[in-house]
């Protein structure tokens, strides 16, 4: 019985490719906002004087070339969810956004795909009113 190595390799490669394609759909959803991070307030304004500085935080939602297949609205929602989740993990409840921009995603600087949101901010802990 002859076994064609090339044919088996082709089948294995196809299985891997299909698995990656279908599992990739899970990456296309926006980053989930953790329940406890829902209370984190985000603003461009400086916090009240009673708030304490915690740390600088940043968020960019992009994973390899997944941003090519994701709607910009989902990328923006993900970036803000990441900021809130990170702030809450630092026990912060207020985030002052310092800078918001879209970064261009490309392959080797040649093939431009999509723009991904990038947020730079400062996390604060403010007394609860």
């Amino acid at each position: 019985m002859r076994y064609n190595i090339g044919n088996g390799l082709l089948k294995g490669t196809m299985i891997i490719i299909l698995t990656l394609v279908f599992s990739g759909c899970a990456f296309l959803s926006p980053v989930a906002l953790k329940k406890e991070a829902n209370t984190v307030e985000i603003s461009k304004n400086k916090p009240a004087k009673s708030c304490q500085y915690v740390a600088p935080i940043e968020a960019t939602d992009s994973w390899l070339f997944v941003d090519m297949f994701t709607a910009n609205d989902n990328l923006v929602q993900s970036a803000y969810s990441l900021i809130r989740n990170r702030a809450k993990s630092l026990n912060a409840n207020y985030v002052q956004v310092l800078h918001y921009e879209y970064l261009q995603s490309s392959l080797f600087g040649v093939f431009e795909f999509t723009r991904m949101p990038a947020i730079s901010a400062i996390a604060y802990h403010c007394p609860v009113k």
Side-chain angles (χ1 to χ4, degrees):
M1 179 171 161
R2 279 182 76 190
Y3 182 72
N4 186 344
I5 293 176
N7 202 13
L9 183 62
L10 179 63
K11 286 181 184 177
T13 303
M14 289 303 293
I15 289 172
I16 291 171
I17 289 171
L18 289 173
T19 301
L20 290 173
V21 167
F22 288 117
S23 66
C25 294
F27 294 114
L28 303 181
S29 300
V31 171
L33 177 65
K34 294 178 182 174
K35 187 177 180 180
E36 62 273 9
N38 195 34
T39 59
V40 174
E41 184 180 347
I42 296 180
S43 175
K44 289 183 178 182
N45 300 325
K46 288 186 177 186
K49 292 187 185 227
S50 58
C51 298
Q52 293 183 330
Y53 169 86
V54 175
I57 53 177
E58 293 181 339
T60 301
D61 183 39
S62 180
W63 186 79
L64 293 176
F65 303 111
V66 172
D67 54 316
M68 290 178 1
F69 307 104
T70 307
N72 278 345
D73 288 347
N74 282 354
L75 292 173
V76 172
Q77 181 181 346
S78 292
Y80 276 103
S81 292
L82 283 168
I83 281 286
R84 281 192 165 101
N85 292 343
R86 288 180 181 154
K88 194 61 179 179
S89 72
L90 296 169
N91 198 31
N93 58 4
Y94 186 88
V95 173
Q96 179 189 7
V97 174
L98 300 176
H99 186 73
Y100 181 94
E101 68 178 321
Y102 279 99
L103 302 175
Q104 188 71 39
S105 175
S106 65
L107 177 62
F108 306 119
V110 178
F111 303 105
E112 293 184 354
F113 298 117
T114 187
R115 301 179 322 155
M116 53 192 166
I119 303 171
S120 298
I122 299 177
Y124 293 89
H125 181 75
C126 302
V128 180
K129 297 175 185 177

